[in-house]
Coordinates of all heavy atoms in Angstrom, one line a residue:
M24 N 0.8 -1.2 0.0 CA 0.0 0.0 0.0 C 0.9 1.2 0.0 O 1.7 1.4 0.9 CB -0.9 -0.1 1.3 CG -2.0 1.1 1.3 SD -3.4 0.7 0.2 CE -4.2 2.3 0.6
P25 N 0.8 2.1 -1.1 CA 1.6 3.3 -1.1 C 1.3 4.3 0.1 O 0.2 4.4 0.4 CB 1.3 3.9 -2.4 CG 0.2 3.2 -3.0 CD -0.1 1.9 -2.2
K26 N 2.3 4.9 0.6 CA 2.2 5.8 1.7 C 2.1 7.3 1.2 O 1.7 8.1 1.9 CB 3.3 5.7 2.7 CG 3.3 4.4 3.4 CD 4.4 4.3 4.5 CE 4.4 2.9 5.2 NZ 5.5 2.7 5.9
V27 N 2.6 7.5 0.0 CA 2.6 8.8 -0.6 C 1.3 9.0 -1.4 O 1.0 8.1 -2.0 CB 3.9 9.1 -1.5 CG1 3.8 10.4 -2.3 CG2 5.1 9.0 -0.6
K28 N 0.6 10.2 -1.2 CA -0.5 10.5 -2.1 C -0.1 11.7 -3.0 O 0.4 12.6 -2.5 CB -1.7 10.8 -1.2 CG -2.2 9.6 -0.5 CD -3.5 10.0 0.2 CE -4.0 8.9 1.1 NZ -5.1 9.3 2.1
L29 N -0.4 11.4 -4.3 CA -0.2 12.6 -5.2 C -1.6 13.1 -5.5 O -2.4 12.5 -6.1 CB 0.4 12.1 -6.5 CG 0.4 13.0 -7.7 CD1 1.1 14.3 -7.5 CD2 0.8 12.3 -9.0
H30 N -1.9 14.3 -5.0 CA -3.1 15.0 -5.2 C -2.9 15.8 -6.5 O -2.1 16.6 -6.7 CB -3.5 16.0 -4.2 CG -3.8 15.2 -2.9 ND1 -5.1 14.9 -2.5 CD2 -3.0 14.8 -1.9 CE1 -5.1 14.3 -1.3 NE2 -3.8 14.2 -1.0
R31 N -3.7 15.4 -7.6 CA -3.4 16.1 -8.9 C -4.8 16.4 -9.6 O -5.8 15.8 -9.2 CB -2.6 15.1 -9.8 CG -3.2 13.8 -10.1 CD -2.7 13.3 -11.4 NE -3.9 12.5 -12.0 CZ -3.8 11.4 -12.6 NH1 -2.7 10.8 -12.7 NH2 -4.9 10.8 -13.2
C32 N -4.7 17.1 -10.7 CA -5.9 17.4 -11.4 C -6.4 16.2 -12.2 O -5.6 15.3 -12.4 CB -5.8 18.6 -12.4 SG -4.6 18.2 -13.8
S33 N -7.7 16.2 -12.6 CA -8.2 15.0 -13.5 C -8.0 15.3 -15.0 O -8.4 14.5 -15.7 CB -9.8 15.0 -13.2 OG -10.3 16.2 -13.3
Y34 N -7.1 16.2 -15.2 CA -6.8 16.5 -16.7 C -5.7 15.7 -17.2 O -5.3 15.9 -18.4 CB -6.5 18.1 -16.6 CG -7.2 18.9 -17.7 CD1 -8.6 18.9 -17.6 CD2 -6.6 19.6 -18.6 CE1 -9.3 19.6 -18.6 CE2 -7.2 20.3 -19.6 CZ -8.6 20.4 -19.5 OH -9.3 21.1 -20.4
T35 N -5.0 15.0 -16.3 CA -3.7 14.4 -16.7 C -3.7 13.4 -17.8 O -2.7 13.1 -18.4 CB -3.1 13.8 -15.4 OG1 -3.0 14.9 -14.5 CG2 -1.7 13.3 -15.6
F36 N -4.9 13.1 -18.3 CA -5.0 12.2 -19.5 C -4.3 12.8 -20.6 O -4.0 12.0 -21.6 CB -6.4 11.8 -19.9 CG -7.3 12.9 -20.3 CD1 -7.3 13.3 -21.6 CD2 -8.1 13.6 -19.3 CE1 -8.2 14.4 -21.9 CE2 -8.9 14.7 -19.6 CZ -8.9 15.1 -21.0
L37 N -4.2 14.1 -20.6 CA -3.5 14.8 -21.9 C -1.9 14.3 -21.9 O -1.4 14.3 -23.0 CB -3.5 16.3 -21.6 CG -4.9 16.9 -22.1 CD1 -4.8 18.4 -21.8 CD2 -5.2 16.7 -23.5
H38 N -1.4 14.0 -20.9 CA 0.0 13.6 -20.8 C 0.9 14.6 -21.6 O 1.7 14.2 -22.4 CB 0.1 12.2 -21.3 CG -0.5 11.2 -20.5 ND1 -0.4 9.8 -20.7 CD2 -1.3 11.3 -19.4 CE1 -1.1 9.2 -19.7 NE2 -1.5 10.1 -19.0
V39 N 0.8 15.9 -21.2 CA 1.7 16.9 -21.8 C 2.6 17.6 -20.7 O 2.0 17.7 -19.6 CB 1.0 17.9 -22.7 CG1 0.4 17.2 -23.9 CG2 -0.1 18.6 -21.9
N40 N 3.7 18.0 -21.1 CA 4.5 18.7 -20.2 C 4.0 20.0 -19.7 O 4.4 20.5 -18.6 CB 6.0 18.8 -20.7 CG 6.8 17.5 -20.6 OD1 6.4 16.7 -19.8 ND2 7.7 17.3 -21.3
A41 N 3.1 20.6 -20.4 CA 2.5 21.8 -19.9 C 1.6 21.6 -18.7 O 1.3 22.5 -17.9 CB 1.5 22.4 -21.0
D42 N 1.2 20.3 -18.4 CA 0.4 19.9 -17.3 C 1.3 19.7 -16.1 O 2.2 18.7 -16.0 CB -0.4 18.7 -17.7 CG -1.2 18.2 -16.6 OD1 -1.1 18.6 -15.4 OD2 -2.0 17.3 -16.8
A43 N 1.3 20.5 -15.2 CA 2.1 20.5 -14.0 C 2.0 19.1 -13.3 O 3.0 18.6 -12.7 CB 1.8 21.6 -13.0
C44 N 0.8 18.7 -13.1 CA 0.5 17.4 -12.4 C 1.2 16.3 -13.0 O 1.8 15.4 -12.5 CB -1.0 17.1 -12.3 SG -1.9 18.4 -11.3
W45 N 1.1 16.3 -14.4 CA 1.7 15.2 -15.2 C 3.3 15.2 -15.0 O 3.8 14.1 -14.9 CB 1.3 15.3 -16.7 CG 1.9 14.3 -17.6 CD1 2.8 14.5 -18.6 CD2 1.8 12.8 -17.4 NE1 3.2 13.3 -19.2 CE2 2.6 12.3 -18.5 CE3 1.2 12.0 -16.5 CZ2 2.7 10.9 -18.6 CZ3 1.2 10.6 -16.7 CH2 2.1 10.1 -17.7
R46 N 3.8 16.4 -14.9 CA 5.2 16.5 -14.9 C 5.8 15.8 -13.5 O 6.7 15.2 -13.5 CB 5.7 18.0 -15.0 CG 5.7 18.6 -16.3 CD 6.6 19.7 -16.5 NE 6.6 20.7 -15.5 CZ 5.8 21.7 -15.3 NH1 4.9 21.8 -16.3 NH2 6.0 22.6 -14.4
L47 N 5.1 16.2 -12.5 CA 5.4 15.7 -11.1 C 5.1 14.2 -11.1 O 5.9 13.4 -10.6 CB 4.6 16.4 -10.0 CG 4.9 15.9 -8.6 CD1 6.4 16.0 -8.4 CD2 4.1 16.6 -7.6
Q48 N 4.1 13.7 -11.7 CA 3.8 12.3 -11.7 C 4.9 11.5 -12.5 O 5.4 10.5 -12.0 CB 2.5 12.0 -12.4 CG 2.1 10.4 -12.3 CD 0.6 10.2 -12.5 OE1 -0.2 11.1 -12.7 NE2 0.3 8.9 -12.6
K49 N 5.4 12.0 -13.6 CA 6.4 11.4 -14.3 C 7.8 11.4 -13.5 O 8.5 10.4 -13.6 CB 6.7 12.3 -15.6 CG 6.1 11.7 -16.8 CD 6.7 12.2 -18.1 CE 7.1 13.6 -18.1 NZ 7.7 14.2 -19.4
A50 N 7.9 12.5 -12.8 CA 9.1 12.5 -12.0 C 9.1 11.5 -10.8 O 10.1 10.8 -10.5 CB 9.3 14.0 -11.4
L51 N 7.9 11.3 -10.2 CA 7.7 10.3 -9.2 C 8.1 8.9 -9.7 O 8.7 8.1 -9.1 CB 6.3 10.3 -8.6 CG 5.9 11.5 -7.7 CD1 4.5 11.6 -7.5 CD2 6.7 11.5 -6.4
D52 N 7.4 8.6 -10.9 CA 7.7 7.3 -11.6 C 9.3 7.2 -11.9 O 9.8 6.2 -11.6 CB 7.1 7.3 -12.9 CG 5.5 7.2 -12.7 OD1 5.1 6.7 -11.7 OD2 4.8 7.5 -13.7
A53 N 9.9 8.2 -12.4 CA 11.3 8.2 -12.6 C 12.2 7.9 -11.4 O 13.2 7.2 -11.4 CB 11.8 9.4 -13.3
E54 N 11.8 8.4 -10.3 CA 12.5 8.3 -9.0 C 12.0 7.0 -8.3 O 12.5 6.7 -7.2 CB 12.2 9.4 -8.1 CG 12.8 10.8 -8.6 CD 14.3 10.7 -8.9 OE1 15.0 10.2 -7.9 OE2 14.8 11.1 -9.9
G55 N 11.1 6.2 -8.8 CA 10.7 4.9 -8.3 C 9.9 5.1 -7.1 O 9.9 4.2 -6.1
V56 N 9.2 6.2 -6.8 CA 8.4 6.5 -5.6 C 7.0 5.7 -5.9 O 6.4 5.8 -6.9 CB 8.1 7.9 -5.4 CG1 7.1 8.1 -4.4 CG2 9.4 8.6 -5.2
D57 N 6.6 4.9 -4.9 CA 5.4 4.3 -4.8 C 4.3 5.2 -4.4 O 4.5 5.8 -3.2 CB 5.4 3.1 -3.9 CG 4.2 2.1 -4.0 OD1 3.5 2.2 -5.1 OD2 3.9 1.3 -3.1
Y58 N 3.3 5.6 -5.1 CA 2.3 6.6 -4.7 C 0.9 6.2 -5.1 O 0.7 5.4 -6.0 CB 2.7 7.9 -5.3 CG 2.7 8.0 -6.7 CD1 1.6 8.1 -7.5 CD2 3.9 7.6 -7.5 CE1 1.6 8.1 -8.9 CE2 3.9 7.6 -8.8 CZ 2.7 7.9 -9.6 OH 2.6 7.8 -11.0
E59 N -0.1 6.9 -4.5 CA -1.5 6.6 -4.8 C -1.9 8.0 -5.3 O -1.6 9.0 -4.9 CB -2.2 6.4 -3.5 CG -3.7 6.3 -3.6 CD -4.3 6.2 -2.2 OE1 -3.6 5.8 -1.3 OE2 -5.6 6.5 -2.1
V60 N -2.8 8.0 -6.6 CA -3.3 9.1 -7.1 C -4.6 9.4 -6.5 O -5.4 8.6 -6.4 CB -3.4 9.0 -8.6 CG1 -4.2 10.1 -9.3 CG2 -2.0 8.9 -9.3
V61 N -4.7 10.8 -6.1 CA -6.0 11.2 -5.7 C -6.3 12.4 -6.7 O -5.7 13.4 -6.7 CB -6.0 11.8 -4.3 CG1 -7.4 12.2 -3.8 CG2 -5.5 10.7 -3.3
T62 N -7.5 12.3 -7.5 CA -7.7 13.3 -8.5 C -8.7 14.4 -7.9 O -9.6 14.0 -7.1 CB -8.3 12.7 -9.7 OG1 -9.4 11.9 -9.4 CG2 -7.3 11.9 -10.5
H63 N -8.6 15.6 -8.4 CA -9.4 16.6 -8.0 C -9.8 17.4 -9.3 O -9.0 17.5 -10.2 CB -8.7 17.6 -7.0 CG -8.2 16.9 -5.8 ND1 -8.9 17.0 -4.7 CD2 -7.1 16.3 -5.5 CE1 -8.3 16.3 -3.7 NE2 -7.1 15.8 -4.1
G64 N -11.1 17.8 -9.3 CA -11.6 18.5 -10.5 C -10.7 19.6 -10.8 O -10.1 20.4 -10.0
F65 N -10.8 20.0 -12.2 CA -10.1 21.1 -12.7 C -11.0 22.3 -12.7 O -12.1 22.3 -13.1 CB -9.5 20.8 -14.1 CG -8.5 21.8 -14.6 CD1 -7.2 21.6 -14.2 CD2 -8.8 22.9 -15.3 CE1 -6.3 22.5 -14.7 CE2 -7.9 23.8 -15.8 CZ -6.6 23.6 -15.4
G66 N -10.4 23.5 -12.1 CA -11.2 24.7 -12.3 C -11.7 25.1 -10.9 O -11.9 24.4 -10.0
K67 N -12.0 26.5 -10.9 CA -12.3 27.1 -9.8 C -13.6 26.6 -9.1 O -13.9 26.7 -7.8 CB -12.5 28.6 -9.9 CG -11.1 29.2 -10.3 CD -11.3 30.6 -10.8 CE -9.9 31.1 -11.3 NZ -10.0 31.7 -12.5
S68 N -14.6 26.2 -9.8 CA -16.0 25.8 -9.4 C -16.0 24.5 -8.6 O -16.9 24.3 -8.0 CB -16.9 25.9 -10.5 OG -16.7 25.0 -11.4
D69 N -15.0 23.7 -9.0 CA -15.1 22.3 -8.4 C -14.9 22.3 -6.9 O -14.0 22.8 -6.3 CB -14.0 21.4 -9.0 CG -14.3 19.9 -8.8 OD1 -14.1 19.6 -7.7 OD2 -14.8 19.3 -9.6
K70 N -15.9 21.6 -6.2 CA -16.0 21.6 -4.8 C -14.7 20.9 -4.2 O -14.2 21.1 -3.1 CB -17.2 20.9 -4.3 CG -18.5 21.8 -4.4 CD -19.6 21.2 -3.7 CE -20.9 21.9 -4.0 NZ -21.9 21.1 -4.6
S71 N -14.1 20.0 -5.0 CA -13.0 19.2 -4.3 C -11.8 20.1 -4.2 O -11.0 19.7 -3.5 CB -12.7 18.0 -5.2 OG -11.8 18.4 -6.3
R72 N -11.8 21.2 -4.8 CA -10.7 22.2 -4.4 C -10.7 22.7 -3.0 O -9.8 23.1 -2.4 CB -10.6 23.4 -5.4 CG -10.1 23.0 -6.7 CD -8.7 22.3 -6.7 NE -8.4 21.5 -7.9 CZ -7.6 21.9 -8.9 NH1 -7.0 23.0 -8.8 NH2 -7.4 21.2 -9.9
A73 N -12.0 22.6 -2.4 CA -12.0 23.0 -1.0 C -11.2 22.1 -0.1 O -10.5 22.6 0.8 CB -13.5 23.0 -0.6
E74 N -11.1 20.9 -0.5 CA -10.3 19.9 0.2 C -8.8 20.3 0.1 O -8.0 20.2 1.1 CB -10.5 18.5 -0.3 CG -9.9 17.4 0.5 CD -10.1 16.0 -0.3 OE1 -11.0 15.9 -1.1 OE2 -9.2 15.2 0.0
I75 N -8.3 20.6 -1.2 CA -7.0 21.1 -1.4 C -6.6 22.4 -0.6 O -5.6 22.5 0.1 CB -6.8 21.3 -2.9 CG1 -6.8 20.0 -3.6 CG2 -5.5 22.1 -3.1 CD1 -5.6 19.1 -3.3
I76 N -7.6 23.3 -0.6 CA -7.3 24.5 0.1 C -7.3 24.3 1.7 O -6.4 24.7 2.4 CB -8.5 25.5 -0.2 CG1 -8.3 26.0 -1.6 CG2 -8.4 26.8 0.8 CD1 -9.6 26.7 -2.0
K77 N -8.1 23.4 2.2 CA -8.1 23.1 3.6 C -6.8 22.4 3.9 O -6.1 22.6 4.9 CB -9.2 22.1 3.9 CG -9.4 21.8 5.4 CD -10.8 21.1 5.6 CE -10.8 20.6 7.1 NZ -11.8 19.6 7.2
M78 N -6.3 21.5 3.0 CA -5.1 20.7 3.3 C -3.8 21.5 3.1 O -2.9 21.4 4.0 CB -5.1 19.6 2.2 CG -3.9 18.7 2.3 SD -4.0 17.5 0.7 CE -5.5 16.6 1.3
S79 N -3.7 22.4 2.1 CA -2.5 23.0 1.8 C -2.5 24.6 1.8 O -1.5 25.2 1.6 CB -2.0 22.6 0.3 OG -3.0 23.2 -0.6
G80 N -3.7 25.2 2.1 CA -3.7 26.6 2.3 C -3.8 27.4 0.9 O -3.7 28.6 0.9
Q81 N -3.9 26.7 -0.2 CA -4.0 27.2 -1.5 C -4.8 26.3 -2.5 O -5.0 25.2 -2.1 CB -2.6 27.7 -2.0 CG -1.5 26.5 -2.1 CD -1.8 25.7 -3.2 OE1 -1.5 26.1 -4.4 NE2 -2.1 24.4 -3.0
K82 N -5.1 26.8 -3.7 CA -6.0 25.9 -4.4 C -5.4 25.1 -5.6 O -6.0 24.3 -6.2 CB -7.0 26.8 -5.2 CG -6.4 27.7 -6.2 CD -7.5 28.4 -7.0 CE -6.8 29.1 -8.2 NZ -7.7 29.8 -9.0
Y83 N -4.0 25.2 -5.8 CA -3.4 24.5 -6.9 C -2.9 23.1 -6.5 O -2.5 22.9 -5.4 CB -2.3 25.4 -7.4 CG -2.7 26.7 -8.1 CD1 -2.5 27.8 -7.4 CD2 -3.3 26.6 -9.4 CE1 -3.0 29.0 -8.0 CE2 -3.6 27.8 -10.0 CZ -3.6 29.0 -9.3 OH -4.0 30.1 -9.8
V84 N -3.0 22.3 -7.6 CA -2.4 21.1 -7.5 C -1.3 21.0 -8.6 O -1.3 21.9 -9.5 CB -3.4 19.8 -7.7 CG1 -4.3 19.6 -6.5 CG2 -4.2 20.0 -9.0
P85 N -0.2 20.1 -8.5 CA -0.1 19.0 -7.6 C 0.3 19.4 -6.1 O 0.9 20.3 -5.9 CB 1.0 18.2 -8.2 CG 1.8 19.2 -8.9 CD 0.9 20.2 -9.4
V86 N -0.3 18.5 -5.2 CA 0.1 18.6 -3.8 C 0.5 17.2 -3.5 O -0.1 16.1 -3.8 CB -1.1 19.0 -2.9 CG1 -0.7 18.8 -1.4 CG2 -1.5 20.5 -3.2
L87 N 1.6 17.1 -2.7 CA 2.1 15.8 -2.3 C 1.8 15.6 -0.8 O 2.0 16.5 -0.1 CB 3.6 15.6 -2.5 CG 4.1 15.2 -3.8 CD1 5.7 15.2 -3.7 CD2 3.6 13.9 -4.3
E88 N 1.2 14.4 -0.4 CA 1.1 14.1 1.0 C 2.1 13.0 1.2 O 2.1 11.9 0.6 CB -0.3 13.4 1.2 CG -1.1 14.0 2.3 CD -2.4 13.4 2.4 OE1 -3.2 13.4 1.5 OE2 -2.7 12.9 3.5
L89 N 3.2 13.4 1.9 CA 4.3 12.4 2.1 C 4.0 11.3 3.1 O 2.9 11.3 3.8 CB 5.6 13.3 2.5 CG 5.9 14.2 1.4 CD1 6.9 15.3 1.8 CD2 6.6 13.5 0.2
A90 N 4.9 10.4 3.3 CA 4.7 9.2 4.0 C 4.4 9.5 5.5 O 3.7 8.6 6.2 CB 5.8 8.2 3.8
D91 N 4.9 10.6 6.0 CA 4.6 10.8 7.5 C 3.5 11.8 7.6 O 3.3 12.4 8.6 CB 5.9 11.5 8.0 CG 6.3 12.8 7.5 OD1 5.6 13.2 6.4 OD2 7.3 13.4 7.9
G92 N 2.7 12.1 6.5 CA 1.6 13.0 6.5 C 1.9 14.4 6.2 O 1.0 15.2 6.2
T93 N 3.1 14.7 6.0 CA 3.5 16.1 5.6 C 2.9 16.4 4.3 O 2.9 15.8 3.4 CB 5.1 16.2 5.5 OG1 5.7 15.9 6.7 CG2 5.4 17.7 5.1
V94 N 2.1 17.6 4.3 CA 1.6 18.1 3.1 C 2.5 19.2 2.5 O 2.9 20.1 3.1 CB 0.2 18.8 3.4 CG1 -0.3 19.5 2.1 CG2 -0.7 17.8 3.9
Y95 N 2.9 18.9 1.2 CA 3.9 19.7 0.6 C 3.4 20.2 -0.8 O 3.0 19.5 -1.7 CB 5.1 18.8 0.3 CG 6.2 19.3 -0.6 CD1 6.7 20.6 -0.3 CD2 6.6 18.7 -1.6 CE1 7.7 21.2 -1.0 CE2 7.7 19.2 -2.4 CZ 8.2 20.6 -2.1 OH 9.2 21.1 -2.9
R96 N 3.5 21.5 -0.9 CA 3.2 22.2 -2.2 C 4.1 23.3 -2.3 O 4.2 24.2 -1.5 CB 1.7 22.7 -2.1 CG 1.4 23.7 -3.1 CD 1.1 23.1 -4.6 NE 1.0 24.3 -5.5 CZ 1.6 24.3 -6.8 NH1 1.9 23.1 -7.2 NH2 1.3 25.3 -7.5
E97 N 4.7 23.4 -3.6 CA 5.5 24.6 -4.1 C 5.3 24.6 -5.5 O 4.5 23.8 -6.1 CB 7.0 24.3 -3.8 CG 7.4 24.5 -2.4 CD 9.0 24.5 -2.2 OE1 9.6 23.4 -2.4 OE2 9.6 25.6 -2.1
E98 N 5.9 25.5 -6.3 CA 5.9 25.5 -7.8 C 6.4 24.0 -8.1 O 7.3 23.5 -7.6 CB 6.8 26.5 -8.3 CG 6.2 27.9 -8.3 CD 5.0 28.0 -9.3 OE1 5.1 27.7 -10.4 OE2 3.9 28.2 -8.7
T99 N 5.6 23.5 -9.2 CA 6.0 22.1 -9.5 C 7.4 21.9 -9.9 O 8.0 20.8 -9.4 CB 5.1 21.7 -10.7 OG1 3.7 21.9 -10.4 CG2 5.3 20.2 -11.1
D100 N 8.1 22.9 -10.6 CA 9.5 22.6 -10.9 C 10.4 22.5 -9.5 O 11.3 21.7 -9.6 CB 10.0 23.7 -11.8 CG 9.5 23.6 -13.2 OD1 8.9 22.6 -13.5 OD2 9.5 24.6 -13.9
D101 N 10.0 23.3 -8.6 CA 10.7 23.2 -7.3 C 10.6 21.9 -6.6 O 11.4 21.3 -6.0 CB 10.3 24.3 -6.4 CG 10.7 25.7 -7.0 OD1 11.7 25.7 -7.7 OD2 10.1 26.7 -6.6
M102 N 9.2 21.3 -6.7 CA 8.9 20.1 -6.1 C 9.7 19.0 -6.8 O 10.3 18.1 -6.1 CB 7.4 19.8 -6.3 CG 6.5 20.8 -5.5 SD 4.7 20.5 -5.8 CE 4.4 19.2 -4.6
I103 N 9.8 19.0 -8.1 CA 10.6 18.1 -8.9 C 12.0 18.1 -8.5 O 12.7 17.0 -8.3 CB 10.3 18.2 -10.4 CG1 8.9 17.9 -10.8 CG2 11.3 17.3 -11.2 CD1 8.4 18.2 -12.1
A104 N 12.6 19.3 -8.3 CA 14.0 19.5 -8.0 C 14.3 18.9 -6.7 O 15.3 18.2 -6.5 CB 14.4 20.9 -8.0
K105 N 13.4 19.2 -5.7 CA 13.6 18.6 -4.4 C 13.5 17.0 -4.4 O 14.2 16.4 -3.6 CB 12.7 19.2 -3.3 CG 13.2 20.7 -3.0 CD 12.4 21.3 -2.0 CE 12.9 22.7 -1.7 NZ 12.1 23.5 -0.9
L106 N 12.5 16.5 -5.1 CA 12.3 15.1 -5.3 C 13.6 14.4 -5.7 O 14.1 13.5 -5.2 CB 11.1 14.8 -6.2 CG 11.0 13.4 -6.7 CD1 10.5 12.5 -5.5 CD2 9.9 13.3 -7.7
K107 N 14.2 15.1 -6.9 CA 15.3 14.5 -7.4 C 16.6 14.5 -6.6 O 17.5 13.8 -6.5 CB 15.7 15.1 -8.8 CG 14.7 14.8 -9.9 CD 14.9 15.3 -11.3 CE 14.0 14.7 -12.3 NZ 14.0 15.3 -13.5
A108 N 16.6 15.6 -5.8 CA 17.7 15.9 -4.9 C 17.6 15.2 -3.6 O 18.6 15.2 -2.7 CB 18.0 17.4 -4.6
G109 N 16.5 14.5 -3.3 CA 16.2 13.8 -2.1 C 16.0 14.8 -0.9 O 16.3 14.5 0.2
T110 N 15.4 16.0 -1.2 CA 15.4 17.0 -0.1 C 13.9 17.4 0.2 O 13.6 18.5 0.6 CB 16.2 18.3 -0.4 OG1 15.8 18.8 -1.6 CG2 17.7 18.0 -0.4
L111 N 13.0 16.5 -0.2 CA 11.5 16.8 0.2 C 11.4 17.0 1.7 O 12.2 16.4 2.4 CB 10.7 15.6 -0.4 CG 10.6 15.5 -1.8 CD1 9.8 14.2 -2.2 CD2 9.9 16.7 -2.5
P112 N 10.3 17.6 2.2 CA 10.2 17.9 3.5 C 9.6 16.7 4.4 O 9.3 16.9 5.5 CB 9.2 19.1 3.6 CG 8.4 19.0 2.4 CD 9.5 18.4 1.3
G113 N 9.7 15.5 3.7 CA 9.2 14.3 4.5 C 9.7 13.1 3.6 O 10.1 13.2 2.5
P114 N 9.4 11.9 4.2 CA 9.9 10.7 3.6 C 8.9 10.3 2.4 O 7.7 10.6 2.4 CB 9.8 9.6 4.7 CG 8.8 10.1 5.7 CD 8.9 11.7 5.6
T115 N 9.4 9.5 1.5 CA 8.6 9.0 0.4 C 8.3 7.5 0.6 O 7.7 6.9 -0.4 CB 9.2 9.2 -1.0 OG1 10.6 8.6 -0.9 CG2 9.5 10.7 -1.3
A116 N 8.7 6.9 1.7 CA 8.4 5.5 1.9 C 8.3 5.3 3.4 O 8.8 6.1 4.2 CB 9.4 4.6 1.3
Ligands
GSH26 N1 2.6 27.3 -11.7 C1 2.0 26.2 -11.0 C2 0.9 25.8 -11.8 C3 -0.1 24.8 -11.2 C4 -1.3 24.5 -11.9 O1 -1.7 25.4 -12.7 N2 -2.0 23.5 -11.6 C5 -3.3 23.3 -12.2 C6 -3.5 21.8 -12.5 S1 -2.3 21.1 -13.5 C7 -4.4 23.7 -11.3 O2 -4.5 23.4 -10.1 N3 -5.3 24.6 -11.7 C8 -6.3 25.1 -10.9 C9 -6.9 26.3 -11.3 O3 -6.5 27.0 -12.2 O4 -7.9 26.8 -10.6 C10 3.0 25.0 -10.9 O5 3.9 24.9 -11.6 O6 2.8 24.3 -9.8

């Protein structure tokens, strides 16, 4: 059972690099992190963004819930850089 949760938009079927959620998901795969995907609707009107705001204090995804429960959100490129450097603010397993 994966301990990391990737909260991402439901738009990721496009699989393009313009999609921040897809970029982070690809990086998690490349780093061999075992994770569970939790999708949230795209756009301001979707109620599921209320959950993201409650969790992270802002409305954007991707958001990572790390193995110790730490909720982590920054600009996606910074998240990817820390993932690759092994300097995320919590464990991935
Ligand atoms: N610059 C941000 C962009 C994040 C972003 O736009 N995420 C999209 C999903 S891929 C989102 O949450 N959109 C919600 C909205 O625009 O209301 C990053 O790189 O993290």
Side-chain angles (χ1 to χ4, degrees):
M24 186 75 180
K26 291 183 181 167
V27 171
K28 287 184 185 169
L29 168 63
H30 295 266
R31 64 156 216 222
C32 69
S33 49
Y34 231 57
T35 302
F36 63 86
L37 280 178
H38 293 188
V39 293
N40 280 335
D42 178 346
C44 296
W45 177 240
R46 290 206 311 278
L47 181 57
Q48 185 162 354
K49 264 199 323 185
L51 288 167
D52 289 340
E54 295 300 313
V56 175
D57 190 20
Y58 61 89
E59 171 190 342
V60 168
V61 184
T62 55
H63 299 267
F65 192 84
K67 296 172 185 129
S68 62
D69 192 287
K70 286 192 190 121
S71 79
R72 286 304 163 101
E74 191 188 334
I75 288 295
I76 291 168
K77 193 173 169 196
M78 178 187 294
S79 69
Q81 52 82 66
K82 69 172 185 174
Y83 292 100
V84 286
V86 170
L87 279 179
E88 233 180 303
L89 296 165
D91 64 353
T93 299
V94 174
Y95 172 53
R96 160 78 191 147
E97 283 187 287
E98 280 295 298
T99 302
D100 288 344
D101 295 332
M102 296 174 84
I103 291 170
K105 286 187 183 169
L106 169 66
K107 288 185 174 169
T110 56
L111 291 174
T115 55

